Amino acid sequence: MNQDTIDLAIFDESHLDGAHVLSREANWPHRREDWAMVLSLSRGFVALEDGAVVGTAMMTPFGDTAATINMVIVAAEMRGRGLGRRLMDRALAAAGPLECRLIATAEGLPLYEKLGFRATHEIRQHQGVPDGIAAVAMPQSGRVAWAGAGDLAAIAALDRLALGMDRGPLLHLLAKAGRMAVLRAADGQVAGYGVLRPFGRGEVIGPVIAGSEEEAQALIAFLMAARPGAFLRVDTPALTHLSPWLAACGLEEVGGGIAMCTGPARPGPSVPCKPFALASQALG
């Protein structure tokens, strides 16, 4: 590859088909619709050779504190030649002073470390068809129900508290694309939530925000029960210890990634809730 023959451009809707082809060649599960959702929230960049998409990267801002860097992919025949670095430089420049977060593969880890990212924890990807174990009644199951139209503001506030960034626009899109469940405290306030929506080969459960592992299991079990026989995916931070339970429910661990961020290490916030499943590896 001659770097002079590669043009870097702003990612727009005209590039979605080419990006989808690129990701399918890399065995990513993303549908064109999944690309379009991320693009609608992001500022993206594409590498073009003779008009064909040969690389992508996106920066998705969440409020005025943080952003995710995502959908970073380079055509197989062009890897190892600096194109990924050029795309990352564009995405990081677009993020400006925002703290940046991403999920890295083992192959991408060296580049991200050179760019100032540090590893924080592992992400474990589970997928499959639940075998019914999740439907067993749990102490918290009676607190879970489908979200109402007036719950979105409380869900967004809880999400912001757990993650330290404002994902309100994303949550509005997820509410339109899928279904939301809430777990209520004794006073009726929203104390946890989960989302079920189409993604990739089937459907994804996430985000899931809750105050405890038991509450997260109740939310996930409720969403699993809504889609008997469906192929489901859950991406969970290894820090939550949900992996053995998900495997027991029939969702096999099939890989994952490494969560990374820029900025100095600092203690996690002392909050009553935390993330137990991601919206996606692109969107945290």
Side-chain angles (χ1 to χ4, degrees):
M1 178 186 71
N2 183 340
Q3 292 279 6
D4 293 337
T5 69
I6 302 297
D7 296 317
L8 296 190
I10 300 297
F11 196 138
D12 62 35
E13 290 187 357
S14 70
H15 301 118
L16 282 171
D17 289 336
H20 185 221
V21 169
L22 193 64
S23 64
R24 289 182 64 185
E25 290 174 349
N27 294 318
W28 287 16
H30 298 68
R31 305 167 303 154
R32 188 184 188 279
E33 296 92 333
D34 301 322
W35 277 95
M37 173 180 280
V38 178
L39 178 61
S40 72
L41 296 165
S42 307
R43 184 175 179 189
F45 303 90
V46 290
L48 302 171
E49 184 178 48
D50 296 328
V53 176
V54 295
T56 66
M58 292 200 200
M59 184 281 298
T60 309
F62 290 120
D64 58 3
T65 59
T68 63
I69 306 297
N70 54 74
M71 311 306 274
V72 180
I73 185 170
V74 173
E77 67 274 12
M78 296 187 175
R79 294 174 191 165
R81 306 182 190 183
L83 185 53
R85 174 64 183 260
R86 291 177 63 193
L87 287 162
M88 282 295 299
D89 285 343
R90 288 289 186 95
L92 291 172
L98 299 179
E99 177 191 289
C100 291
R101 308 176 188 184
L102 58 77
I103 308 298
T105 62
E107 294 78 11
L109 193 64
L111 170 60
Y112 301 136
E113 289 176 334
K114 290 177 183 177
L115 291 170
F117 286 83
R118 57 181 176 81
T120 56
H121 57 275
E122 292 183 7
I123 300 297
R124 293 177 179 163
Q125 179 183 332
H126 288 259
Q127 63 185 40
V129 178
D131 60 9
I133 295 175
V136 176
M138 285 178 267
Q140 304 293 340
S141 60
R143 298 168 57 193
V144 181
W146 292 115
D151 289 324
L152 190 55
I155 288 169
L158 195 71
D159 189 85
R160 186 165 56 250
L161 184 66
L163 293 174
M165 58 185 183
D166 183 2
R167 297 196 300 178
L170 168 63
L171 293 170
H172 276 86
L173 288 180
L174 296 181
K176 291 179 180 179
R179 302 184 74 183
M180 289 184 163
V182 293
L183 181 143
R184 298 191 185 278
D187 62 1
Q189 298 299 307
V190 174
Y193 83 91
V195 180
L196 173 71
R197 67 179 174 95
F199 175 84
R201 292 174 56 191
E203 295 170 86
V204 64
I205 293 176
V208 174
I209 302 291
S212 69
E213 187 171 314
E214 186 179 66
E215 291 179 347
Q217 289 176 355
L219 282 160
I220 294 170
F222 179 89
L223 294 170
M224 285 180 176
R227 295 294 291 127
F231 182 89
L232 302 177
R233 171 173 170 168
V234 180
D235 292 278
T236 183
L239 299 173
T240 67
H241 309 298
L242 270 184
S243 280
W245 180 80
L246 289 168
C249 292
L251 302 189
E252 179 184 358
E253 183 177 349
V254 296
I258 303 157
M260 307 186 79
C261 69
T262 57
R266 59 182 182 273
S270 178
V271 296
C273 55
K274 63 181 180 179
F276 284 85
L278 310 183
S280 69
Q281 292 193 20
L283 298 170

